[in-house]
Amino acid sequence: MGIGAYRPDVIVDNDQICQWIDSSDEWIRQRTGIRTRHRAPADVSVVDMATGAAREAIEKAGLTGEDIGAIIVATVTHPYQTPSAAAAVAHQIGSTPAAAFDISAACAGYCYGIAQADSFVRSGLAKHVLVIGVEKLSDVIDNHERSISFLLGDGAGAAVVGPSETPGISPSVLGSNGEKWDAVAMTGSLLPMRDALRDARASGDAAELLDPERDLWPTLRQDGPTVFRWAVWEMAKTAQKALDAAGVTAEDLVAFAPHQANIRIIDEMVKQLKLPEHVTVGRDIADAGNTSAASIPLAVHRLLEENPELSGGLCLQIGFGAGLVYGAQVIRLP
């Protein structure tokens, strides 16, 4: 019913990234398609970004916060294990006592959230559901690491899902491949940090916590070739399954909004799906980078801003990432 976005004000270009890694603007553009990425300043939180995107989506849907019956936030970067980011957002937008919870499905999280929202509305559990994909990935990267750090950006995208006389969301195709669980992962759990702090307190010596050789804060890493091959060869099949589940073909689409992981992955999926020329492809990655759970709603938001004539048409969206997990569905654009 409505799409909203929040893009942080700080823009980091490739030349700035190359201060930290041995690379170049040309290499990054060639290999990923990224020119810039947005980064949130220290005083802007996951909840702040999610709330900003949520307010725009609700307004565009012609609703108020009081109309929202459930809030689903897809994120892997909310810094609190509990309580959820969704509960804080519910309070900020005036949706209390809406049901509120977070889900952790990395770059597929938004598609998982849309699938759940679809089920909530169909079952009558909630009339209007707010789905938010939000990440502050700058909190979990090592700027000097070059497998993934230069790809990542911050931001939030949101959608309001509500009742319709005809289906506006197709059956979703969801899945996982845990055999590749560590292909995109944190460098470790939080437990070693807890143990190191406890030991430092017991010994009265905090020097080891300041040792630059000891990396206590977990950050993201990826096995790039493994992820690239999996995404290129398997995700086009998943996207096709979503089209089949919707009972439509590529010819019926007006837009394609894949997870913004890498421009080469996006272009290869377009080829494998044999998308016709009239299908507008979301390539938000050039200016936003990879924003994980936020990337699909941000891409859809930009598609509609730049091509308002797509409104009401069918869009195929697919997310895939750490887990490895994936999700896809066809939606009718608001």
Side-chain angles (χ1 to χ4, degrees):
M1 297 176 66
I3 296 282
Y6 182 99
R7 300 177 187 271
D9 292 336
V10 179
I11 298 175
V12 180
D13 64 25
N14 291 336
D15 289 332
Q16 291 169 276
I17 292 291
C18 294
Q19 297 176 69
W20 299 308
I21 61 172
D22 181 17
S23 188
S24 68
D25 172 61
E26 181 184 7
W27 187 90
I28 294 173
R29 289 188 190 223
Q30 235 176 30
R31 303 286 291 185
T32 69
I34 298 172
R35 298 188 298 252
T36 62
R37 70 283 293 143
H38 294 253
R39 297 272 170 89
D43 62 349
V44 174
S45 70
V46 163
V47 170
D48 293 333
M49 293 190 287
T51 300
R55 285 178 172 147
E56 182 185 359
I58 292 169
E59 181 181 354
K60 285 186 172 175
L63 303 172
T64 69
E66 294 178 349
D67 297 314
I68 303 299
I71 298 172
I72 303 169
V73 172
T75 186
V76 295
T77 52
H78 182 47
Y80 296 89
Q81 294 288 300
T82 192
S84 69
V89 173
H91 172 67
Q92 292 290 336
I93 63 175
S95 294
T96 303
F101 62 97
D102 295 354
I103 56 175
S104 175
C107 308
Y110 177 75
C111 289
Y112 273 57
I114 291 294
Q116 291 181 337
D118 177 41
S119 298
F120 277 26
V121 175
R122 287 174 183 271
S123 68
L125 188 59
K127 185 175 182 180
H128 298 108
V129 182
L130 176 66
V131 180
I132 307 168
V134 56
E135 303 291 5
K136 192 176 181 183
L137 291 162
S138 55
D139 279 347
V140 293
I141 60 173
D142 172 357
N143 284 327
H144 300 280
E145 185 280 326
R146 63 171 297 147
S147 76
I148 199 170
S149 65
F150 64 96
L151 296 169
L152 304 177
D154 302 337
V160 175
V161 174
S164 172
E165 291 299 320
T166 57
I169 299 173
S170 76
S172 295
V173 177
L174 308 175
S176 68
N177 181 358
E179 182 183 0
K180 302 184 190 302
W181 184 85
D182 59 353
V184 186
M186 305 302 290
T187 51
S189 79
L190 293 172
L191 299 181
M193 178 177 284
R194 178 202 63 182
D195 295 343
L197 289 169
R198 182 181 57 198
D199 294 346
R201 285 196 193 101
S203 67
D205 181 8
E208 62 176 297
L209 298 178
L210 302 176
D211 182 356
E213 299 299 318
R214 187 170 188 185
D215 191 6
L216 289 173
W217 179 248
T219 54
L220 272 171
R221 298 287 193 280
Q222 74 168 345
D223 177 352
T226 296
V227 175
F228 185 87
R229 287 193 296 269
W230 173 75
V232 164
W233 300 115
E234 297 301 322
M235 290 306 96
K237 298 174 189 174
T238 298
Q240 185 59 54
K241 287 179 183 176
L243 289 174
D244 295 343
V248 300
T249 69
E251 288 286 342
D252 299 312
L253 301 174
V254 300
F256 176 46
H259 166 48
Q260 305 292 294
N262 183 307
I263 200 68
R264 293 187 299 153
I265 293 173
I266 294 171
D267 290 344
E268 185 59 34
M269 290 179 71
V270 168
K271 287 180 190 174
Q272 291 191 39
L273 289 168
K274 297 182 173 60
L275 294 185
E277 289 284 330
H278 73 263
V279 176
T280 303
V281 179
R283 290 188 171 89
D284 191 48
I285 189 171
D287 299 318
N290 177 344
T291 55
S292 187
S295 78
I296 292 173
L298 284 174
V300 172
H301 184 271
R302 174 164 285 184
L303 279 174
L304 287 172
E305 273 197 334
E306 296 178 351
N307 308 276
E309 72 279 3
L310 299 179
S311 180
L314 297 180
C315 175
L316 169 64
Q317 57 188 28
I318 177 169
F320 47 88
L324 293 168
V325 295
Y326 54 88
Q329 59 266 128
V330 176
I331 62 158
R332 189 170 293 284
L333 294 168

